Amino acid sequence: MKNILKISLILASIFILIPSCDDYLDTLPDNRAELDTEDKIVKLLVSAYPNATSAMLCEYWSDNWDSHDWNLNYNNYMEDLWNLKDQPNRSGNDTHFRSWEYCYRSIASCNEALKAIEERGNPASLQAAKAEALIARAWNHFELATLFCLPYGETSSTDLGLPYMTEPETTVKPPYVRGTVEEFYLQLSKDIEAALPNIDNSIYTQPKFHFNTSAAYAFATKFYMAYGKFDKAIEYASKVLGNNPAQVLRNWKATINMSMDNTEQPNAYMAKNNPATLLMSYPTSGWSTSGPNNYSTGNKYSHSLLVAKYETLQSQGPWGNQNNIYVRTWWNSNTNKIFHKKVGYYFEYTDPVARTGFQHTGIVQFTTDEVLLYRAEAYILTKQYSKAYDDLTTFITNYTNSRPAYDDILKFYRDMPYYHYKEVYEDEIGLIGLKQYPTPKKTLHPPLYKIELGTDQEWLIHYVLHLRRILLMGEGQRWLDIKRYGITVHRRVVDKGHRVVDLKDSMDYLDKRRAMQIPQEIINAGCPANPR
């Protein structure tokens, strides 16, 4: 199958296989197996979930990562990512190419299932499977848009979208049109709305590995926040959270007494019997050892003490300092990394004697905590501040031992200086009494949301962004907030004393690189590249 890339854009992205892939997929599309029973159709949807994660590339492109030039522990891909290179070295499982390939491959499985269901006359017995195929197809497309498209906003009617695949591919080198972001999001919405009424947990033996009802509504919440449909986001978040959200949140206080080794906290975070865990996966990935864990790989580019102290895990908040957060922070000065231990490392032995196999990273795709913060954000953007405060209080009293008052939250972020990429002292700028430094409060340029800057609305948005950045550290989710709110990313070089000594690059809210470049192989196959 080495020549597929030369034949078709989508075939390139879907059907280039590695040896560990399912034999069924090896025969698609030209010698496809016959989906002649309902059971086969349902089982095909196991492959509707990509065996890849974009967590690594999204973290590296975000404002969570600095460069430590005195440390030489890194590889070429890490260097390319941190330098925002359009076509980074593509070796390994955590690359742009792998995300493109595996998402479109999963979309192909969804479309095969949908076609088989249609050919059987759309029986009632397959409506739940059809719903899973539709919601998984939408999710894979949304993941691709998060990487390779500009965020939804005022220019979406002209911004480049991606091919939205709704049919199995059966011809060689068909014409593919990228369309616009607006058209892409409209199709996403159609798939989501068609799926939601028919999601049925009873068809799953392991619901947390599929789009169960709560996971489907959690994804819909996240999508409609990106789409700017706040009423929809509130409606669907409420279906996940129920009448008493505190009952379905993660018990963060229980993590206080957990070991700081590499298994106990990640395993607890991934536990399928936890009501906060909605959808989970174990993709083939090296992220668990190269990123948010206490391994020595990738120390040059990392989430280090400087970021943590001023902006994330160790930063001050309305809740007080890091000691008031129930999740303990791990740091080792030898690795330049600081994080909460929740991204798990798992190894699949294909040859136990030779001790060879595949490294996996445990990823929780959706949680109730994240959904609660999205609903609070939607309430803020619709100026329902009392409801937003109730949700934020539910979250913060479960995540910390603090209960900040509404006015104290406003004052904290109103009085906080806006972010500066490094500490600037009086003698450097010739002014007395002025000192600038990094903070979580960054200038917002949202391409879609209409925020009244300098008001309670802005201060509450900073609170939500601050909380979500800490909550989801290491999971790649900060990248979506950067795009949605037009936050500038600085490429800082930090010395051994945790001081910024150079600024290599900046990516602001108008930078075209906010849409990562599509893989070169796909451009070579005839797909238009993202503008630069």
Side-chain angles (χ1 to χ4, degrees):
M1 302 189 73
K2 296 180 180 178
N3 294 322
I4 292 296
L5 283 171
K6 300 178 181 179
I7 299 174
S8 164
L9 162 65
I10 299 304
L11 296 185
S13 62
I14 298 173
F15 298 114
I16 298 175
L17 303 177
I18 58 177
S20 62
C21 291
D22 190 328
D23 290 340
Y24 170 76
L25 289 177
D26 282 334
T27 65
L28 287 176
D30 300 316
N31 184 26
R32 48 186 92 235
E34 186 176 359
L35 297 176
D36 52 4
T37 69
E38 292 191 359
D39 186 57
K40 288 182 180 179
I41 295 171
V42 172
K43 287 182 177 178
L44 173 61
L45 291 174
V46 171
S47 57
Y49 302 85
N51 185 30
T53 173
S54 61
M56 180 175 180
L57 63 97
C58 286
E59 283 291 333
Y60 268 75
W61 273 52
S62 79
D63 52 358
N64 286 338
W65 247 240
D66 281 330
S67 171
H68 306 81
D69 276 7
W70 50 273
N71 193 301
L72 300 180
N73 194 311
Y74 69 100
N75 60 38
N76 291 337
Y77 180 61
M78 295 172 182
E79 183 174 48
D80 288 350
L81 278 187
W82 188 84
N83 284 295
L84 309 176
K85 189 174 180 180
D86 267 349
Q87 297 296 340
N89 184 301
R90 53 162 283 191
S91 61
N93 292 306
D94 297 283
T95 63
H96 296 68
F97 181 81
R98 281 289 183 261
S99 290
W100 179 284
E101 175 190 13
Y102 279 110
C103 282
Y104 272 121
R105 183 187 297 172
S106 295
I107 290 165
S109 295
C110 295
N111 286 335
E112 287 294 332
L114 289 167
K115 181 183 178 182
I117 293 169
E118 182 181 358
E119 289 176 345
R120 296 177 73 87
N122 283 306
S125 56
L126 285 174
Q127 290 309 293
K130 180 178 180 179
E132 182 183 12
L134 286 169
I135 199 75
R137 182 171 78 179
W139 177 52
N140 279 285
H141 280 107
F142 182 72
E143 290 291 294
L144 288 165
T146 299
L147 302 179
F148 302 112
C149 294
L150 292 173
Y152 193 87
E154 294 179 352
T155 61
S156 291
S157 61
T158 55
D159 291 337
L160 276 179
L162 293 169
Y164 200 103
M165 304 302 296
T166 59
E167 299 286 343
E169 187 48 64
T170 58
T171 59
V172 176
K173 205 170 183 179
Y176 285 107
V177 179
R178 287 190 62 170
T180 67
V181 170
E182 184 175 72
E183 293 166 341
F184 195 85
Y185 271 63
L186 180 60
Q187 183 60 55
L188 270 166
S189 179
K190 289 179 179 178
D191 275 356
I192 292 170
E193 294 302 320
L196 289 177
N198 295 313
I199 298 290
D200 185 352
N201 295 353
S202 67
I203 71 169
Y204 306 132
T205 55
Q206 295 288 347
K208 295 296 180 75
F209 290 95
H210 296 267
F211 266 110
N212 57 76
T213 303
S214 293
Y217 281 114
F219 165 52
T221 299
K222 186 175 184 177
F223 166 72
Y224 281 113
M225 288 302 297
Y227 201 15
K229 312 293 184 184
F230 307 128
D231 291 341
K232 284 276 192 184
I234 292 169
E235 175 188 354
Y236 293 149
S238 299
K239 291 182 181 294
V240 178
L241 300 169
N243 295 325
N244 188 356
Q247 291 184 338
V248 296
L249 298 182
R250 192 176 303 278
N251 181 6
W252 291 105
K253 192 173 183 179
T255 66
I256 292 176
N257 297 319
M258 289 184 181
S259 168
M260 294 293 281
D261 64 12
N262 296 321
T263 58
E264 186 172 2
Q265 290 188 44
N267 287 347
Y269 193 69
M270 294 293 295
K272 61 187 178 183
N273 61 348
N274 193 311
T277 300
L278 303 180
L279 178 66
M280 54 200 291
S281 62
Y282 294 86
T284 304
S285 164
W287 178 232
S288 55
T289 54
S290 63
N293 226 320
N294 64 330
Y295 294 83
S296 61
T297 306
N299 291 341
K300 179 175 181 178
Y301 306 103
S302 63
H303 175 253
S304 61
L305 187 63
L306 182 68
V307 184
K309 176 182 176 182
Y310 287 114
E311 304 177 54
T312 60
L313 306 183
Q314 292 186 340
S315 61
Q316 296 284 324
W319 56 85
N321 60 33
Q322 64 165 330
N323 295 324
N324 295 327
I325 297 177
Y326 288 135
V327 189
R328 288 190 294 164
T329 300
W330 186 96
W331 180 58
N332 184 318
S333 60
N334 294 325
T335 66
N336 308 322
K337 298 178 183 179
I338 185 166
F339 46 81
H340 293 161
K341 290 196 171 185
K342 53 189 172 66
V343 177
Y345 166 80
Y346 306 93
F347 197 85
E348 173 192 1
Y349 286 101
T350 55
D351 187 337
V353 177
R355 300 189 66 80
T356 57
F358 298 101
Q359 179 180 333
H360 295 266
T361 295
I363 297 290
V364 178
Q365 303 290 353
F366 302 103
T367 71
T368 53
D369 297 88
E370 181 186 13
V371 171
L372 183 62
L373 290 181
Y374 272 127
R375 188 172 75 171
E377 181 187 352
Y379 281 141
I380 295 166
L381 292 168
T382 53
K383 299 184 178 180
Q384 300 180 69
Y385 300 140
S386 177
K387 291 181 178 180
Y389 177 68
D390 288 343
D391 278 354
L392 291 168
T393 299
T394 299
F395 175 85
I396 201 65
T397 54
N398 184 62
Y399 196 64
T400 74
N401 61 10
S402 178
R403 188 186 183 92
Y406 181 79
D407 289 341
D408 291 340
I409 295 169
L410 298 180
K411 184 179 187 304
F412 184 86
Y413 290 99
R414 181 177 59 245
D415 293 349
M416 177 186 288
Y418 283 95
Y419 170 94
H420 190 274
Y421 74 90
K422 71 171 185 175
E423 290 186 302
V424 180
Y425 296 91
E426 298 90 306
D427 59 347
E428 292 180 358
I429 58 177
L431 296 176
I432 297 175
L434 177 63
K435 179 180 178 181
Q436 295 176 299
Y437 54 92
T439 72
K441 182 180 171 182
K442 301 196 171 184
T443 304
L444 307 178
H445 301 94
L448 178 62
Y449 312 146
K450 304 299 182 185
I451 298 176
E452 295 179 357
L453 300 178
T455 69
D456 293 359
Q457 188 176 51
E458 183 186 357
W459 314 142
L460 289 171
I461 287 295
H462 284 299
Y463 185 35
V464 170
L465 293 176
H466 193 185
L467 287 174
R468 187 158 52 232
R469 191 176 180 189
I470 294 172
L471 173 72
L472 300 175
M473 173 60 63
E475 299 181 53
Q477 299 301 318
R478 173 65 174 174
W479 177 242
L480 185 56
D481 280 350
I482 286 171
K483 294 179 72 168
R484 292 192 303 126
Y485 281 94
I487 295 170
T488 296
V489 173
H490 289 120
R491 301 284 76 170
R492 307 183 304 184
V493 179
V494 179
D495 66 12
K496 288 185 177 181
H498 310 291
R499 295 180 298 267
V500 176
V501 294
D502 194 11
L503 184 66
K504 291 288 189 181
D505 195 2
S506 296
M507 179 169 54
D508 66 18
Y509 69 103
L510 295 176
D511 199 308
K512 297 295 186 181
R513 290 176 294 180
R514 290 177 302 152
M516 298 179 188
Q517 189 58 269
I518 66 175
Q520 188 62 51
E521 293 86 347
I522 310 306
I523 298 172
N524 294 344
C527 186
N530 282 326
R532 287 292 183 262

